[in-house]
Amino acid sequence: MPTLQDILDGKQICICAGSGGVGKTTTSAAIATGMAAQGLKVCVLTIDPAKRLADSLGLKELGNEARRVEPALFEKQGVEMKGELWAMMLDAKATFDELIARHAPDEESRERILENRIYQQVSTALAGSQEYMAMEKLFELHTEGRFDLLVLDTPPTRNALDFLDAPRRLTQFIEGKSLRVFMKPTGLAAKVAGRGASVALGVLKRLVGFDLLADLAEFFNAFSGMVEGFQARAKRVDKLLADPATCFLVVCGPQGEPIDEAVYFHRKLVEAKLPFGGVIVNKVHYPADQVPGEVEDLPASLAEKLGDEDLARRVAANFSDYQALSERDARNIARLENELRTKGVIRVPYLDEDVHDLAGLAEINRYLFATGEERVEIAAGRA
Amino acid sequence: MRGYSYGGRLFLPALEIARNHPIHDLLDKRLVIVTGKGGVGKTTVAVALGMRAAAEGKRTIVCEVASQENASRMFDHAEVGFHEVEMEENLWSISIDPDESMREYVLLQLKVRAMRDLLFRSRIFTYLTAATPGLKELVTIGKIWELAQLDRKVKKGRKYDLVIVDAPATGHGVGFLQTPRTFANMARVGPIHSQAETLDRFITDHEQTGTAIVALPEEMPVNESAALERDLRTEVGVAVDRVYLNGLYPERFSKSETERLSALAQDERGAARAAARAALSEHERARCQRAQLSRLRRRVEAPVKSLPFLFEPDLGPEAARRLSRKLA
């Protein structure tokens, strides 16, 4: 059973993926902290605008630049830190603007794009643009080579896979040269496009209004000089994602739905030939260590020990509720292991207190980075 | 469907509670948007609100977007797709697909069949609908608006008293609800402009449209919910009527009891020890959660209502029905 340490050995990029609400941001921060604690220079990137990562790292805010987490903070919270932990929150708009500046053939086209109303929407609102920009920033940081390991917390898209498609979708989008042809249905373009198309365009103009169409055409026009640059870059990003030094970790929760999504996500990663590292299941209710048959007599035996029947009844009821959840979790995780044909699922228990600081991250790391024997011990020790 | 019936004993209390205590401030609106980050139980709350409204006698439809079909699963029902399917008395469900919405929109706009066919077949239309940023969100909101009209645009459309939307996770902030305004600004004149303005007016009309934020009793979700409320109020301008704190553990043990249980956990072995430890964990979590509940109450303007954690492996219609009693 490989440990997280084994999985991440020699990796330069670790991408944490999963559906929303499964603790992905916390897990990413914990992994980055854990690897930094062992002496690496690690940067964790998030594009979650909710500033969760900053919260958990004790940073007031995160900008589009990597910031180092104060070493003193670790000391204060009793965490040994041999390396360096950096964090940044991706600003999709700023990254997109930088990208335009890099790819635009000249000053004039750059300004035209930056000022276009459609662009201003695209750079913040286009589905996939945040995801694309995350990949872009990841690529840029990797190329700079300032860090030993980059940990990416993927955006909370409803479909955890959206970000994988993002580079392709965005490239398709800006390849929209066809629209320019249709927008000028005169002369050669009209001959090329044919009569049908110009009639269709007439209908379309009626439907959406000329103004919006003109803006769109202008936008595609402005982008057309940059298509090649984008394409080339998207290809390099794709290559980086498939590199053996990259590792995808699927993060999920123990309930039925998150498990289904993790199975689906794993399948997609394998299909896309992307390097799958492992699965982390958060907030697991561990089964209690118990003697078979003992539970049936529990209320009576508790009543005897506590000298309080009412309390004994409540303790037993609570225990049986908890057991039901731990049985569900065990069932779901068994299904996950079965589907993935692995025994290497990493479990993090449902802790009594929720994690929102460095000490909490260190607590999580006891489980994330546990060796095989430690995992067994931990599981036996918890109830 | 399985596991419950209208005449069944389980159902009656929920019905009585709903009839005797109608939730006027929220369910008397025409549109209620249930929002919050991923994994907080938005679907469960949306379905529970739907059940409550239906029990009050309102013809209600629960809409899902982004075709996850979580709501139909919640009802133990097969996938509903882009159809208004009756789940229970007074309660319907639909999964809003943007492509279908776009198609329907074009059908409503272009009455001449030949023109529609021409458009649907043209490459430029396919391209434009796929590539235009935010268009999917816009037509989705357009469909929600259409469902909420008493004078339905769709032929023989059923009239609903209330539309409840299980909104997409708020990872991208409040962008989804801002789409109409964005489009209204982008297209300065023309049909899209005026239609987008109509949608924006509808969403920001506090009489007609409300939102309910679903939160979890944990540090960061509480922070995020407070930020979300602020954004909804100031950036979108929509009314925030309720914050539901979902999954609150019961306080089962008193402090003095936990002292006795700590002793038990130390002295005993096996099941007794495990049970005592489980009780101590529950007590600790319940305590932390209460602290988060007070923080949430301090940080948001809307009334906060807590919903109990449901100790059952899989949440079905009965779980939603039990929650529906606690929504007032």
Side-chain angles (χ1 to χ4, degrees):
Chain A
M1 194 161 70
T3 64
L4 188 56
Q5 187 77 54
D6 301 332
I7 294 171
L8 292 176
D9 185 40
K11 302 288 179 196
Q12 291 165 11
I13 290 177
C14 166
I15 298 173
C16 296
S19 51
V22 295
K24 221 166 23 186
T25 304
T26 307
T27 303
S28 308
I31 291 173
T33 310
M35 295 305 277
Q38 292 165 28
L40 296 184
K41 187 175 176 189
V42 185
C43 182
V44 51
L45 292 90
T46 180
I47 66 174
D48 188 341
K51 300 186 169 51
R52 256 184 281 178
L53 190 63
D55 279 4
S56 59
L57 295 178
L59 294 168
K60 273 244 156 27
E61 56 176 22
L62 294 170
N64 207 27
E65 292 295 316
R67 286 184 199 181
R68 184 166 177 191
V69 180
E70 278 296 319
L73 259 174
F74 296 100
E75 222 170 282
K76 218 171 87 191
Q77 302 217 19
V79 180
E80 196 193 354
M81 175 58 57
K82 289 186 194 142
E84 291 177 19
L85 179 63
W86 294 64
M88 67 171 286
M89 186 161 85
L90 183 83
D91 177 343
K93 172 114 181 71
T95 309
F96 214 150
D97 289 351
E98 284 167 25
L99 205 63
I100 298 293
R102 190 179 310 130
H103 290 305
D106 51 62
E107 183 85 3
E108 198 209 324
S109 14
R110 197 190 70 190
E111 289 309 308
R112 250 173 65 212
I113 292 173
L114 296 182
E115 278 163 23
N116 184 284
R117 289 156 170 277
I118 311 270
Y119 170 74
Q120 286 166 2
Q121 293 312 315
V122 172
S123 54
T124 51
L126 172 63
S129 77
Q130 273 193 321
E131 290 84 345
Y132 179 78
M133 290 309 134
M135 295 297 152
E136 184 57 40
K137 202 73 196 176
L138 189 73
F139 179 75
E140 189 189 307
L141 283 173
H142 182 256
T143 312
E144 284 175 14
R146 285 162 59 200
F147 299 99
D148 300 316
L149 176 69
L150 299 167
V151 180
L152 177 70
D153 166 30
T154 57
T157 41
R158 277 200 94 157
N159 182 346
L161 281 168
D162 276 2
F163 78 93
L164 284 179
D165 267 354
R168 192 185 46 76
R169 264 189 293 154
L170 201 84
T171 315
Q172 268 180 358
F173 174 65
I174 59 171
E175 272 169 3
K177 282 175 280 191
S178 51
L179 192 67
R180 283 182 299 133
V181 177
F182 292 125
M183 278 311 292
K184 294 174 189 158
T186 53
L188 184 67
K191 277 176 208 149
V192 173
R195 247 198 104 232
S198 73
V199 178
L201 191 72
V203 176
L204 206 58
K205 274 181 196 161
R206 234 176 81 179
L207 195 64
V208 304
F210 180 77
D211 221 37
L212 184 56
L213 270 188
D215 263 353
L216 274 170
E218 156 75 19
F219 172 73
F220 291 123
N221 229 335
F223 253 101
S224 61
M226 301 175 28
V227 172
E228 273 175 37
F230 264 88
Q231 277 172 337
R233 193 123 171 137
K235 259 187 207 141
R236 279 154 70 196
V237 171
D238 274 350
K239 214 174 135 196
L240 178 65
L241 292 183
D243 194 281
T246 298
C247 154
F248 284 83
L249 294 176
V250 178
V251 184
C252 67
Q255 302 84 357
E257 231 174 87
I259 294 278
D260 286 345
E261 284 176 32
V263 169
Y264 174 72
F265 193 52
H266 168 261
R267 201 180 67 225
K268 288 288 169 183
L269 283 174
V270 172
E271 277 170 18
K273 296 193 169 57
L274 292 170
F276 167 75
V279 186
I280 294 163
V281 189
N282 279 327
K283 294 197 174 181
V284 178
H285 300 85
Y286 278 44
D289 182 28
Q290 57 179 262
V291 183
E294 214 182 355
V295 178
E296 285 75 23
D297 312 325
L298 190 62
S301 97
L302 280 172
E304 195 187 311
K305 281 162 183 145
L306 286 162
D308 183 337
E309 264 184 41
D310 174 54
L311 177 60
R313 198 179 36 75
R314 279 180 287 130
V315 171
N318 176 68
F319 187 53
S320 110
D321 279 344
Y322 184 89
Q323 287 293 92
L325 291 180
S326 83
E327 279 160 25
R328 172 201 68 184
D329 291 1
R331 244 189 344 263
N332 285 337
I333 292 171
R335 181 161 63 89
L336 180 70
E337 288 180 328
N338 197 25
E339 294 270 1
L340 270 54
R341 292 187 186 79
T342 171
K343 282 279 165 206
V345 169
I346 296 166
R347 296 158 212 229
V348 177
Y350 182 16
L351 301 172
D352 290 353
E353 288 179 56
D354 60 298
V355 174
H356 52 86
D357 57 15
L358 290 172
L361 293 180
E363 171 72 7
I364 282 195
N365 279 342
R366 279 185 51 218
Y367 304 97
L368 274 179
F369 288 94
T371 62
E373 300 90 69
E374 278 168 351
R375 283 184 210 173
V376 175
E377 246 172 64
I378 288 165
R382 288 194 70 89
Chain B
M1 280 192 265
R2 57 160 210 263
Y4 61 96
S5 68
Y6 294 112
R9 235 183 273 158
L10 271 170
F11 188 45
L12 277 171
L15 199 65
E16 274 166 26
I17 288 171
R19 288 199 178 138
N20 294 331
H21 307 278
I23 311 179
H24 289 300
D25 61 333
L26 189 63
L27 300 182
D28 283 357
K29 300 200 175 191
R30 298 209 53 79
L31 172 63
V32 170
I33 299 157
V34 181
T35 179
K37 66 169 212 144
V40 294
K42 280 191 296 292
T43 306
T44 316
V45 171
V47 168
L49 277 170
M51 286 175 166
R52 177 84 181 212
E56 283 183 17
K58 293 187 166 73
R59 296 163 66 83
T60 306
I61 185 162
V62 176
C63 309
E64 275 199 278
V65 296
S67 44
Q68 295 254 317
E69 296 273 355
N70 291 330
S72 43
R73 265 209 253 181
M74 194 83 224
F75 284 111
D76 277 339
H77 195 285
E79 297 202 345
V80 293
F82 194 64
H83 306 284
E84 297 162 39
V85 178
E86 186 163 16
M87 294 288 156
E88 297 181 8
E89 192 182 1
N90 284 338
L91 189 55
W92 284 259
S93 177
I94 184 174
S95 173
I96 298 182
D97 175 69
D99 295 333
E100 296 275 8
S101 305
M102 186 70 213
R103 229 184 142 71
E104 189 182 279
Y105 173 75
V106 172
L107 291 180
L108 290 171
Q109 294 293 314
L110 299 175
K111 303 289 181 199
V112 184
R113 199 194 173 125
M115 274 167 90
R116 296 197 304 242
D117 291 348
L118 182 78
L119 198 62
F120 285 141
R121 275 202 315 268
S122 80
R123 259 204 308 156
I124 180 169
F125 176 74
T126 317
Y127 177 75
L128 203 71
T129 49
T132 303
L135 192 62
K136 285 196 157 102
E137 288 80 3
L138 184 72
V139 292
T140 301
I141 293 174
K143 178 62 191 173
I144 291 166
W145 172 84
E146 194 277 323
L147 284 166
Q149 298 309 298
L150 286 174
D151 176 20
R152 294 279 305 270
K153 307 288 170 205
V154 172
K155 227 190 259 176
K156 290 185 192 152
R158 201 176 284 109
K159 286 186 179 64
Y160 296 106
D161 298 308
L162 175 65
V163 176
I164 295 174
V165 177
D166 178 8
T170 54
H172 296 296
V174 290
F176 176 69
L177 292 177
Q178 275 179 313
T179 319
R181 194 172 315 149
T182 306
F183 266 84
N185 293 338
M186 224 155 74
R188 282 146 289 187
V189 289
I192 294 272
H193 174 79
S194 57
Q195 277 151 10
E197 263 198 334
T198 305
L199 298 184
D200 187 49
R201 266 202 307 276
F202 182 65
I203 287 175
T204 54
D205 180 344
H206 292 198
E207 298 273 301
Q208 299 206 68
T209 301
T211 55
I213 296 174
V214 185
L216 287 179
E218 294 170 26
E219 176 94 11
M220 282 185 266
V222 163
N223 296 352
E224 286 164 8
S225 301
L228 177 62
E229 187 198 39
R230 195 187 54 229
D231 290 350
L232 285 171
R233 285 184 196 280
T234 58
E235 285 181 35
V236 184
V238 66
V240 180
D241 300 295
R242 200 70 98 252
V243 179
Y244 287 114
L245 188 76
N246 198 15
L248 192 71
Y249 271 62
E251 282 185 298
R252 300 196 208 213
F253 309 103
S254 71
K255 191 149 189 307
S256 66
E257 284 168 345
T258 60
E259 278 156 23
R260 286 152 71 193
L261 290 170
S262 299
L264 192 70
Q266 271 184 358
D267 301 341
E268 292 295 327
R269 308 218 142 266
R273 175 168 175 264
R277 287 175 64 164
L280 291 169
S281 281
E282 133 83 24
H283 178 76
E284 182 58 20
R285 280 175 202 151
R287 192 186 63 76
C288 292
Q289 290 189 347
R290 292 292 173 308
Q292 295 303 337
L293 177 60
S294 338
R295 272 186 73 234
L296 184 67
R297 289 214 158 103
R298 281 198 302 275
R299 296 186 57 173
V300 299
E301 285 174 41
V304 175
K305 175 80 189 127
S306 65
L307 300 174
F309 180 83
L310 300 175
F311 287 94
E312 51 209 89
D314 295 295
L315 301 184
E318 282 320 314
R321 199 175 316 285
R322 249 178 298 140
L323 281 188
S324 80
R325 297 173 202 169
K326 320 232 173 218
L327 294 166

